[in-house]
Amino acid sequence: MANLSLLLALLILFTPSLCCPEYQKQALLEFKSSLIKTTSSPSLESLVGELEPWNSTSDCCNWNRVICSTRFHLRTVIALHLDSLVSMRSMEPIVVTSTILTPLFRIRSLMLLDMEGNQIQGELPGDGFANFSKLVYLDLKNNRFNGSIPSQLFHLRYLRYLDISGSSFHGILSGEVGSLQNLRVLKLEENFFGGNIPKEIGNMTKLQQLCLRSNKFFGEIPSSFLYLKGLEELDLRDNSLSMNIPIFIGNLSNITILALSNNRLTGRIPSSIENLKKLETLQLENNLLSGEIPSCLFTINGMKHLSLGGNHLTWNSNAKIEPKCMLSDLSLKSCGLTGEIPYWISKQKTLEVLDLSENKLEGMFPQWLVEMEVGSIILSDNSLTGSLPPRLFNSQSLSVLSLSQNNFFGELPNNIGNATSLIVLMLAENNFSGIVPQSISNIYTLLLLDLSSNRFFGNLPDFSSNEVLGFIDFSSNEFSGEIPTNFNQEIKLLALGKNKFTGRFPRNLTNMSKLEHLDIHDNKITGELPEFISQISTLQVLNLRNTTLQGSIPNGIFNLSSLQILDLSNNHLVGNISPKFGNFAGMIETSNEFSSLPDIVTISIELHYLIVIWKKSKQSLSSRNLQLYSLLDLSMNKLFGEIPASLGKLKDLKLLNISHNILSGKVPISLGNLESLESLDLSHNKLSGLIPQSLTKLQELSVLDVSNNELIGKIPIGGQMDTMNDPNFFANNSGLCGMQIQVPCAKELSPTELSKDESKEALFLWEGAGIGYSFGFFIVVGILYHIGYFVPKPLPNHRSQRIRQSV
């Protein structure tokens, strides 16, 4: 016993203190100091508060987020969990540059580095990463890195996990990536990589997960993928890949997730997929695939998530389907289904999402589907009929119901408010009628409600207590009374157009502090457009077409700096067009930011509630294109005077219509600066002088209507003006001539004379635009995933991922 005690005493005496090396502690303290300087604002101090215990008097191996080696003779830092130290919770701008990583590069013993979600921007310092020769796990996702991946990263031979997704890396992905031959997981999604997917990835034979989603890759799926025998997940969604799905895909026998949606893949679904016995998720939607849907897909026992919609595939109605799988998600959107909803679906007792939209289904809503308690039912754009079964709304599982564009009729069941888990309800373009049941306002989870294009009448229910209801479309019905304002203050989209509402423009609309889209077109609003419109400062879209408004356009409207779409056409407005119209920042440069519903369900929905008369024809503009369009329509009023030259500043305008007014003066030269303009209507005014030569600069212009004015001279030639050859668009201008209308000019002005003439015009602040046809208006909004026009939902995990329904 004495000898043992002596031995322990000697060990304690001669064993060095098991603390982390001083240079590693100093490196970490330097990192902390740099981070605090970056987030020095008092409101941001809490974001890095977790590093407060880091100080010079304690052992860094005892610090939170730091892990050291447990070897008896050595205590070095081997893992740093530094994720989400700087979040986006703050409203203040945060700039964290990649130089903040510099101190960490001195810790050469590091095997794991997690820097996820810190808003770090700049290029990755390649020389620094060369020091991490022992690195096994590197997670840099959800930052703001840019540039290319440094080659030093591809020389980390022990690396098994690499995730740099959710940044702004760009350029060609180097073939050197194939040098990471010990890599198990490679995640590069949501960046801007382009070019071909490097064939050298086939050298990474230990790879289990390969995620290249949401980049700009094109070309074919490399044949070298044949060698990735251990691959369990292949996610190539949201790129521009083409050619056929390779037959060898059936040889990757370990695959559980195969996601190829939203590409340009062609040909048939290869029958070899039948060999993927472990397959749980197959996403092929929104490609150019053709041929018959193989019935063998339903014989894969483990299949849970099957999405085939948005292709040119066909469904064999004569095929006898007896699935061996139990599906959680099924999307057969636009797959040519006919007749009644297939009965075999009733056997899928675990079904959570069913999308059979854009087919030719007939019959009534089946009772067996009511009893299945499916969470999301998307049957829009079919020919289904009958009334809705009341029992459907007793479901506590139902979160998304889209039945738009069918032939359903009758009144809504009084118990509709029992569906208390409903998040999205879309019943547009049917034949529903009657009064909307008051119980619908009891659905406090409701985020989107679309009842447009039916025959509902009476007053609307009171939705003021529905705190999350953000998107409402009641347009094209027979609702009456004063314009309702009994909605919550958080609403973002309110569409009440084409009803029978009356009264003045309601001041209570100014209480809706987040309102972005307001449409009250085709109602009977009395009085003038009020100055207090300026208080709805968040407005991006304002449609007051055909509402009998009188008076002049108030100056307050020009304070709506975000306004991108403005339609005041077909009213009784008088006065001049103010030069302040040129100050609409949203029409000078579109924001590309439009509200969508929170990511509460894994579904995205497009809300269409207006048809546009665009370039002389009716078109439905989708939410995918909303950010591309900026429109100004002042047509069919009693506006007079000259057209302000300031309109030429609205360079993002796609359509400008000031036709059917009493405008005079010359067509301003500055209209040639509207570089995005596609449609310009100046018809039915009293404009005089020449059509300016500057219009030849408008490379996007496809419609020009200057008919019924007092214009003279030669119609300009060159550019798109050479395609403006419809005589009707120049009619009733007795002084016009030119090749477009096949009227020879008595004397053609020389280019020098034309230049002098336009120089004289430049002395005036005159500008004009308009369109000699009725222009509609649209509002659309993108939200969630599955309804009529779906975008892909996030991949489920290996386990069945359920729809999140919490608000």
Side-chain angles (χ1 to χ4, degrees):
M1 180 65 72
N3 291 336
L4 180 58
S5 300
L6 178 62
L7 180 59
L8 289 173
L10 290 173
L11 285 173
I12 294 172
L13 181 65
F14 292 104
T15 300
S17 176
L18 298 180
C19 297
C20 70
E22 184 65 22
Y23 78 94
Q24 294 188 352
K25 177 194 290 187
Q26 292 304 317
L28 293 174
L29 290 175
E30 188 177 328
F31 168 79
K32 174 186 175 182
S33 176
S34 299
L35 192 60
I36 291 176
K37 289 178 181 178
T38 298
T39 59
S40 57
S41 172
S43 64
L44 299 179
E45 289 179 359
S46 61
L47 300 182
V48 292
E50 289 188 63
L51 303 187
E52 186 174 349
W54 291 19
N55 59 69
S56 59
T57 61
S58 58
D59 179 8
C60 69
C61 289
N62 295 326
W63 294 349
N64 56 333
R65 294 176 174 265
V66 178
I67 296 177
C68 292
S69 169
T70 56
R71 293 180 180 179
F72 182 73
H73 64 285
L74 190 63
R75 292 282 282 168
T76 57
V77 176
I78 60 172
L80 293 174
H81 295 276
L82 304 178
D83 55 292
S84 304
L85 291 172
V86 180
S87 74
M88 290 296 290
R89 288 174 291 175
S90 170
M91 297 301 292
E92 299 185 33
I94 303 174
V95 179
V96 182
T97 65
S98 56
T99 56
I100 201 170
L101 300 172
T102 301
L104 303 181
F105 293 136
R106 301 203 298 269
I107 307 177
R108 294 174 177 263
S109 57
L110 208 59
M111 300 176 68
L112 180 150
L113 177 61
D114 184 355
M115 295 292 298
E116 174 195 351
N118 282 304
Q119 315 306 318
I120 305 173
Q121 60 188 31
E123 296 189 5
L124 283 180
D127 293 340
F129 276 97
N131 293 342
F132 288 158
S133 59
K134 298 181 180 180
L135 204 62
V136 175
Y137 183 105
L138 178 60
D139 188 346
L140 302 175
K141 67 174 174 285
N142 296 333
N143 282 287
R144 299 178 182 177
F145 294 114
N146 54 38
S148 56
I149 304 176
S151 60
Q152 291 89 337
L153 215 60
F154 300 135
H155 299 153
L156 302 179
R157 59 176 180 162
Y158 295 115
L159 202 62
R160 293 191 175 194
Y161 184 101
L162 175 59
D163 187 347
I164 58 170
S165 57
S167 275
S168 298
F169 290 106
H170 59 265
I172 305 298
L173 180 60
S174 170
E176 284 189 279
V177 68
S179 301
L180 298 173
Q181 296 190 18
N182 283 309
L183 208 63
R184 268 65 167 179
V185 175
L186 176 60
K187 306 185 78 170
L188 307 180
E189 63 261 34
E190 296 181 5
N191 282 288
F192 298 95
F193 292 113
N196 294 104
I197 297 175
K199 64 180 185 299
E200 288 82 0
I201 288 180
N203 298 333
M204 305 160 71
T205 55
K206 297 180 181 178
L207 209 57
Q208 296 172 352
Q209 290 184 335
L210 176 59
C211 302
L212 306 180
R213 172 176 58 86
S214 299
N215 279 285
K216 297 183 177 181
F217 291 114
F218 56 79
E220 63 182 351
I221 299 173
S223 58
S224 61
F225 280 17
L226 170 65
Y227 303 109
L228 303 179
K229 301 295 186 181
L231 203 61
E232 298 174 3
E233 177 181 341
L234 177 60
D235 185 0
L236 306 179
R237 292 175 294 162
D238 302 314
N239 282 286
S240 297
L241 300 173
S242 56
M243 308 296 285
N244 293 357
I245 300 175
I247 296 176
F248 70 72
I249 209 82
N251 295 331
L252 304 180
S253 57
N254 287 304
I255 280 203
T256 60
I257 296 176
L258 178 59
L260 306 176
S261 56
N262 291 291
N263 280 287
R264 299 175 184 172
L265 298 169
T266 57
R268 295 175 173 270
I269 299 175
S271 58
S272 62
I273 286 183
E274 182 182 8
N275 300 329
L276 302 180
K277 301 302 182 182
K278 298 181 181 179
L279 194 61
E280 297 179 2
T281 296
L282 179 61
Q283 292 189 338
L284 302 179
E285 67 266 28
N286 299 325
N287 278 286
L288 302 172
L289 300 172
S290 57
E292 190 175 303
I293 295 174
S295 58
C296 64
L297 296 179
F298 300 93
T299 66
I300 301 174
N301 292 331
M303 185 77 79
K304 296 177 181 177
H305 311 277
L306 180 60
S307 299
L308 305 177
N311 285 286
H312 304 303
L313 297 168
T314 57
W315 179 264
N316 184 355
S317 300
N318 297 320
K320 186 177 182 181
I321 303 296
E322 295 181 358
K324 295 181 179 179
C325 54
M326 277 294 170
L327 296 171
S328 296
D329 303 313
L330 174 62
S331 171
L332 296 176
K333 169 186 173 183
S334 65
C335 287
L337 275 70
T338 59
E340 296 185 347
I341 297 175
Y343 183 73
W344 61 262
I345 296 176
S346 66
K347 307 298 183 182
Q348 300 297 302
K349 301 302 183 183
T350 59
L351 200 61
E352 297 175 356
V353 176
L354 175 64
D355 179 7
L356 303 179
S357 60
E358 298 183 27
N359 284 292
K360 298 179 181 180
L361 295 171
E362 300 173 343
M364 301 179 69
F365 198 102
Q367 186 64 30
W368 55 260
L369 183 54
V370 173
E371 297 171 357
M372 285 181 66
E373 296 281 323
V374 179
S376 297
I377 300 176
I378 301 95
L379 301 175
S380 55
D381 200 0
N382 279 288
S383 298
L384 299 169
T385 188
S387 58
L388 296 185
R391 183 176 173 182
L392 176 64
F393 298 101
N394 289 333
S395 170
Q396 298 304 299
S397 301
L398 190 63
S399 60
V400 175
L401 179 64
S402 175
L403 305 177
S404 298
Q405 296 175 284
N406 278 286
N407 299 318
F408 290 110
F409 57 80
E411 298 184 1
L412 296 183
N414 286 326
N415 70 327
I416 192 170
N418 292 349
T420 54
S421 297
L422 205 56
I423 298 173
V424 173
L425 177 60
M426 301 184 74
L427 304 177
E429 297 185 53
N430 281 285
N431 295 308
F432 292 114
S433 59
I435 297 174
V436 177
Q438 180 63 42
S439 69
I440 198 171
S441 63
N442 297 332
I443 309 175
Y444 298 116
T445 56
L446 203 58
L447 292 173
L448 183 150
L449 177 59
D450 183 2
L451 303 181
S452 62
S453 299
N454 282 286
R455 291 184 288 117
F456 294 113
F457 58 81
N459 295 322
L460 289 171
D462 185 349
F463 290 98
S464 56
S465 59
N466 295 66
E467 296 182 357
V468 299
L469 188 57
F471 301 85
I472 296 176
D473 187 357
F474 295 145
S475 59
S476 299
N477 279 286
E478 299 173 14
F479 293 116
S480 58
E482 294 186 351
I483 295 172
T485 57
N486 51 353
F487 306 107
N488 71 76
Q489 297 182 9
E490 302 297 309
I491 193 166
K492 295 183 178 181
L493 184 149
L494 181 59
L496 303 173
K498 205 170 183 181
N499 278 286
K500 296 180 179 180
F501 294 120
T502 57
R504 291 184 174 273
F505 194 93
R507 191 179 189 95
N508 285 350
L509 287 175
T510 61
N511 296 330
M512 301 176 187
S513 58
K514 297 184 180 180
L515 190 62
E516 297 176 358
H517 301 240
L518 176 61
D519 173 20
I520 318 178
H521 81 282
D522 284 279
N523 285 289
K524 300 297 181 183
I525 301 177
T526 56
E528 300 182 358
L529 182 60
E531 282 283 347
F532 62 70
I533 188 72
S534 63
Q535 297 179 32
I536 314 177
S537 59
T538 52
L539 274 181
Q540 299 177 31
V541 176
L542 178 60
N543 182 13
L544 300 176
R545 180 179 75 247
N546 193 25
T547 51
T548 69
L549 284 171
Q550 300 176 344
S552 58
I553 299 172
N555 281 326
I557 201 169
F558 303 115
N559 295 325
L560 303 176
S561 58
S562 298
L563 206 60
Q564 184 170 319
I565 294 172
L566 175 62
D567 188 350
L568 300 177
S569 64
N570 199 13
N571 281 291
H572 305 296
L573 299 174
V574 297
N576 294 307
I577 297 178
S578 171
K580 292 182 180 179
F581 269 97
N583 296 336
F584 282 128
M587 300 181 189
I588 296 173
E589 183 174 3
T590 51
S591 67
N592 295 336
E593 295 180 2
F594 291 85
S595 288
S596 61
L597 290 180
D599 185 20
I600 290 179
V601 297
T602 56
I603 294 178
S604 276
I605 304 163
E606 272 184 44
L607 178 59
H608 292 240
Y609 65 77
L610 284 173
I611 300 297
V612 187
I613 299 177
W614 178 264
K615 301 180 184 178
K616 306 296 184 181
S617 64
K618 288 186 177 181
Q619 294 186 27
S620 177
L621 299 181
S622 76
S623 59
R624 298 188 185 99
N625 296 326
L626 179 56
Q627 70 271 22
L628 304 177
Y629 286 89
S630 180
L631 317 175
L632 176 60
D633 191 347
L634 305 176
S635 64
M636 302 184 73
N637 281 289
K638 299 177 182 179
L639 302 173
F640 54 78
E642 300 165 351
I643 304 169
S646 60
L647 289 185
K649 296 193 297 183
L650 306 179
K651 63 178 183 177
D652 263 13
L653 271 187
K654 293 285 188 180
L655 182 147
L656 178 58
N657 183 354
I658 49 176
S659 66
H660 292 83
N661 281 288
I662 320 172
L663 300 169
S664 58
K666 296 185 178 181
V667 179
I669 300 169
S670 61
L671 293 188
N673 297 328
L674 301 176
E675 56 192 41
S676 299
L677 202 63
E678 297 180 14
S679 187
L680 172 62
D681 192 338
L682 309 175
S683 66
H684 294 273
N685 281 291
K686 295 183 178 180
L687 300 173
S688 59
L690 300 171
I691 299 175
Q693 186 72 20
S694 62
L695 296 188
T696 61
K697 297 188 298 181
L698 303 180
Q699 298 181 6
E700 303 297 323
L701 194 66
S702 59
V703 171
L704 171 66
D705 192 342
V706 295
S707 63
N708 295 282
N709 278 289
E710 300 170 4
L711 300 171
I712 61 172
K714 182 181 180 181
I715 300 171
I717 58 175
Q720 287 294 101
M721 289 300 297
D722 291 348
T723 67
M724 307 295 160
N725 52 13
D726 188 338
N728 293 323
F729 292 166
F730 298 95
N732 297 323
N733 288 281
S734 57
L736 285 179
C737 62
M739 69 168 191
Q740 293 92 336
I741 56 176
Q742 298 182 352
V743 175
C745 297
K747 177 186 176 182
E748 295 191 5
L749 295 176
S750 67
T752 303
E753 291 174 307
L754 285 172
S755 178
K756 289 179 180 179
D757 187 76
E758 291 201 352
S759 296
K760 292 178 183 178
E761 289 187 46
L763 297 176
F764 300 92
L765 297 179
W766 293 340
E767 235 170 90
I771 300 181
Y773 56 95
S774 173
F775 166 64
F777 174 81
F778 77 100
I779 290 180
V780 283
V781 65
I783 40 196
L784 304 167
Y785 152 29
H786 247 340
I787 279 58
Y789 328 108
F790 293 30
V791 295
K793 62 183 179 179
L795 273 177
N797 295 324
H798 292 286
R799 297 177 179 177
S800 175
Q801 181 180 14
R802 298 186 177 273
I803 294 179
R804 291 175 286 132
Q805 298 179 342
S806 58
V807 177

